[in-house]
Amino acid sequence: MPRNVTIESRGNVPQHVHAITLVRHGRTAFNAQHRLQGQINIPLDEVGEWQVRQTARALRELYVDHRPDIPNRLVVCSDLDRAAATAHAFADPLGLTVHADERVRERSFGDWEGVAVEELAERYPEDYRSWAEFRGGELKYGAESKEHVGKRGVEALNDWAMRAGTDTDLFVFSHGAWISQTLQTLLGLNEVQPDFASILSMRNAHWVHLVPIEIGDTLRWRLLDYNHGPAIADTEQWEHPRRQGLDF
């Protein structure tokens, strides 16, 4: 295993939470328009607000109502509004505090932020292709490196995961690029084929579930679920609830 997958300790494995759930924020107007958001602080749109209500209900049913053996939850979110709103949709009905942490905010895309993907392909064909093929064309425009995103992401997860014990589940509400890069770094997938994206992009208001395994004096995390969403997310209603006559 790569060294960044492990958390070394002297003697015993350090205290850690029972499980980690990473949740992507609901839809925004930029998502609907296929624009790069990066660290622009754009709110959820109407559909996104509806999505996070469905996801919050599903998360509470799966990981709260059906897990009376885990009495505590620790909730962390990006300091950007779309992730915070998604976190509060889950936490507020439970009376939980939401802790904002800038280390889990989205990857910065520099000068490309706010620009539609289609426009990027027209204006910067070579660099866009380089980005699409995971060769780093976006870095010329001030984008944060994937390595840095993964490093700060794993640092944040390790930090929060050790603030509580196995009677607690950790929920982190963040962003698509942050989640995928943090996972690749945590699991060592980023070092296998650096020109290949081994993890597909997360859908809006979907989640990842990780469980720990202790091997000797080492703690590692294993991927149990990826891109998991409420049952309704597998239908056309997820992106077009009003068209399907659903009540907002």
Side-chain angles (χ1 to χ4, degrees), residues 83-99:
T86 306
H88 280 283
F90 168 75
D92 289 357
L94 298 172
L96 299 173
T97 299
V98 175
H99 305 274

Side-chain angles (χ1 to χ4, degrees), residues 26-206:
R27 199 184 84 172
T28 70
F30 276 21
N31 288 143
Q33 297 163 6
H34 304 292
R35 296 179 179 273
L36 282 185
Q37 292 178 113
Q39 297 184 359
I40 295 176
N41 197 14
I42 187 170
L44 301 176
D45 65 10
E46 188 179 43
V47 171
E49 291 174 352
W50 173 82
Q51 288 175 343
V52 302
R53 290 196 296 271
Q54 313 315 306
T55 291
R57 186 180 302 117
L59 289 171
R60 289 194 297 270
E61 180 179 352
L62 280 172
Y63 302 122
V64 180
D65 299 344
H66 290 174
R67 293 307 306 259
D69 55 319
I70 308 298
N72 302 313
R73 281 90 201 165
L74 179 59
V75 181
V76 178
C77 74
S78 158
D79 58 347
L80 299 178
D81 290 347
R82 58 191 183 272
T86 306
H88 280 283
F90 168 75
D92 289 357
L94 298 172
L96 299 173
T97 299
V98 175
H99 305 274
D101 186 339
E102 65 180 11
R103 293 176 298 180
V104 307
R105 69 161 56 181
E106 181 60 300
R107 180 189 184 193
S108 169
F109 282 92
D111 295 339
W112 280 11
E113 291 190 355
V115 183
V117 171
E118 194 174 285
E119 182 180 345
L120 290 174
E122 292 177 358
R123 291 172 58 186
Y124 315 103
E126 292 185 8
D127 294 328
Y128 172 82
R129 183 177 179 83
S130 175
W131 170 56
E133 294 177 351
F134 316 107
R135 293 185 285 110
E138 73 278 16
L139 298 177
K140 292 170 58 176
Y141 303 90
E144 181 181 10
S145 71
K146 291 181 178 180
E147 291 76 14
H148 187 262
V149 176
K151 181 179 179 181
R152 64 177 168 89
V154 169
E155 177 187 88
L157 286 188
N158 288 344
D159 179 12
W160 287 103
M162 294 182 192
R163 296 195 188 190
T166 54
D167 62 348
T168 301
D169 277 344
L170 171 62
F171 293 82
V172 180
F173 293 79
S174 186
H175 310 263
W178 182 92
I179 291 173
S180 63
Q181 194 57 44
T182 296
L183 276 182
Q184 289 184 75
T185 303
L186 183 70
L187 302 178
L189 299 177
N190 60 320
E191 296 187 18
V192 177
Q193 293 181 326
D195 60 343
F196 173 72
S198 51
I199 297 180
L200 293 173
S201 298
M202 287 273 292
R203 297 179 67 194
N204 287 119
H206 280 52

